Amino acid sequence: MNSLIKPQNLTATLMGKTGDALLWLLAALHVTAVAILLMTLLSLSEAGATERKITCTGSDILVEMRKTDPQAFAKIEQEAAAIPNGKGNFWRIEKAGTAPSYLLGTMHVTDPRVLEMPAAASPAFEKATTVIVESDEIVDDKKVATSLLSKPELTMFLDGKSITDILSPDNVARLEKGLKERGIPLNAVSRMKPWMLSSFVALPACEFARKATGLSFLDKKLAEDAIADGKRLVGLETMVEQLTAMSELPMEFHLQALIETLELGDRMDDVMTTMTDLYVAGDIGMTMPMLKSLDPKKAAAENEQGYAAFEQRIITDRNHVMADRATPELAKGDVFMAVGALHLPGEEGLVELLRAKGFTLTRVD
């Protein structure tokens, strides 16, 4: 955390320029394509060859909020309690006549606490004959490269533009500094679209340092282990589908997210720490209410629209695709399914969508 910001002032400091930036942090944590793109970039940059100290310094915003603003904290808890299936990130899936399957919510990061699955998940994974992840391309570098080359317009400016032509000199300097802290030279990514750059600088430098050592995030590790164990690996989406969903949000949204992320700087580490703490505690339903609570009240209506658009395209639409494509595999039984945790809760989350398809889902604590 920025040493000039006192903990009791953290929430107030975050308010005012966080909305779009926080949405892109969500995307960086819960869209496989982003995690893979980060790892691919690191393999091509100086980051992979540089030894850097891996230190995460963020503080949990909610811990301080509980002390300094209990009313705001209570409101977040109340909103989270109203979200269906907001507790727990590991579920058993059952249907008469088939062996049980399991659903694990993940974060696409390399934090050791995230990599340590719930106790019941390891035996469930070992027993499974089929493993489902968001995209099976994550285990094949050639497939990733092919996906990127097939639709370069999703991630790159193809008209000769550079991000330095769009941002102010101050924000260019911030971007260069943020990228350098993550082992990425600006000139290597200057023609990438704003949403890509937002995803890079939204994640703490310590996450990049861990990835630079070759450490796989949980979904990728599960996919690699599945192949090593001779299990069937099934992907629910292609990289192009995921990248398309990200790129379809308005360019104005992308630019604002990048600018906000650069202005927040190290304070994004606190948001990341808070989200990780919520994940580890199984309080998935508190994530969105927590993020919304950090938005400025003066622009509440505008922010609500932004969050709604993001949730619809990046989470809800994809939930339906995942549920539809997973159903034939789950009907066979003995499946271990791992997708971003934010896809599980809610009226149109995977848990409810799979129940609507005739499966019984029970939280496993």
Side-chain angles (χ1 to χ4, degrees):
M1 183 175 64
N2 190 324
S3 60
L4 297 178
I5 301 173
K6 296 180 180 179
Q8 60 266 33
N9 295 327
L10 177 59
T11 302
T13 304
L14 284 166
M15 291 180 66
K17 49 186 177 183
T18 61
D20 296 343
L22 298 184
L23 294 181
W24 282 116
L25 179 56
L26 276 181
L29 295 177
H30 294 282
V31 178
T32 304
V34 174
I36 289 297
L37 286 172
L38 295 180
M39 296 189 78
T40 301
L41 180 62
L42 284 172
S43 70
L44 298 174
S45 75
E46 63 190 34
T50 304
E51 289 188 10
R52 287 172 289 133
K53 187 176 181 180
I54 302 177
T55 305
C56 297
T57 58
S59 299
D60 191 319
I61 296 166
L62 292 179
V63 170
E64 193 61 37
M65 184 186 292
R66 187 197 292 262
K67 299 176 184 175
T68 61
D69 195 347
Q71 188 174 3
F73 182 81
K75 183 179 178 182
I76 293 173
E77 285 192 311
Q78 184 179 16
E79 289 182 23
I83 297 174
N85 314 306
K87 285 277 191 180
N89 50 31
F90 190 50
W91 297 76
R92 182 168 57 251
I93 305 173
E94 297 172 293
K95 197 168 191 177
T98 62
S101 295
Y102 293 87
L103 172 62
L104 175 67
T106 67
M107 288 178 70
H108 306 326
V109 294
T110 57
D111 188 303
R113 296 179 299 160
V114 174
L115 295 178
E116 186 177 348
M117 295 190 296
S122 292
F125 179 83
E126 292 299 323
K127 188 178 180 225
T129 57
T130 298
V131 173
I132 296 176
V133 291
E134 289 182 22
S135 174
D136 60 358
E137 297 172 32
I138 60 178
V139 295
D140 190 329
D141 291 341
K142 289 183 179 179
K143 279 189 176 182
V144 173
T146 299
S147 293
L148 294 176
L149 291 173
S150 69
K151 293 282 186 178
E153 68 275 12
L154 296 179
T155 58
M156 306 285 292
F157 287 118
L158 302 181
D159 57 1
K161 281 185 182 178
S162 166
I163 194 64
T164 56
D165 300 325
I166 301 172
L167 296 177
S168 69
D170 285 347
N171 280 324
V172 169
R174 288 185 180 116
L175 177 60
E176 186 168 23
K177 177 177 180 292
L179 290 171
K180 185 177 181 180
E181 289 172 351
R182 291 156 177 79
I184 303 170
L186 175 59
N187 60 8
V189 295
S190 63
R191 295 196 183 277
M192 286 188 171
K193 290 194 172 177
W195 74 263
M196 284 289 299
L197 299 172
S198 296
S199 301
F200 296 159
V201 294
L203 286 174
C206 63
E207 174 63 18
F208 276 74
R210 285 193 297 254
K211 281 186 168 72
T213 67
L215 191 63
S216 294
F217 58 95
L218 181 55
D219 308 61
K220 190 172 190 294
K221 183 178 185 304
L222 290 172
E224 292 167 342
D225 289 347
I227 291 177
D229 294 345
K231 303 177 189 292
R232 280 184 68 234
L233 181 65
V234 176
L236 298 176
E237 301 170 301
T238 66
M239 290 277 287
V240 167
E241 286 176 324
Q242 290 193 342
L243 293 175
T244 298
M246 297 284 283
S247 66
E248 282 179 349
L249 294 168
M251 178 60 74
E252 294 78 11
F253 180 88
H254 295 171
L255 279 172
Q256 187 61 30
L258 178 56
I259 291 169
E260 288 177 0
T261 302
L262 294 173
E263 290 176 342
L264 283 166
D266 292 343
R267 284 166 283 174
M268 289 295 280
D269 291 9
D270 299 298
V271 183
M272 173 73 166
T273 295
T274 307
M275 292 173 64
T276 304
D277 287 351
L278 288 175
Y279 172 80
V280 172
D283 290 325
I284 309 304
M286 288 187 68
T287 303
M288 292 302 284
M290 180 274 294
L291 293 179
K292 290 178 181 178
S293 76
L294 301 178
D295 272 354
K297 295 179 182 178
K298 64 181 180 181
E302 181 182 341
N303 286 328
E304 194 64 33
Q305 289 179 352
Y307 276 95
F310 179 90
E311 282 188 276
Q312 185 65 45
R313 189 65 190 95
I314 306 301
I315 300 176
T316 306
D317 288 352
R318 294 174 57 222
N319 288 350
H320 285 272
V321 170
M322 290 182 186
D324 290 344
R325 294 178 180 175
T327 294
E329 299 296 335
L330 294 172
K332 302 172 188 176
D334 280 332
V335 170
F336 189 95
M337 179 173 170
V339 299
L342 285 186
H343 293 290
L344 274 57
E347 294 180 357
E348 293 184 85
L350 276 177
V351 173
E352 286 302 310
L353 291 177
L354 291 176
R355 283 173 176 161
K357 292 181 179 295
F359 297 99
T360 299
L361 276 81
T362 308
R363 191 176 81 208
V364 181
D365 294 320

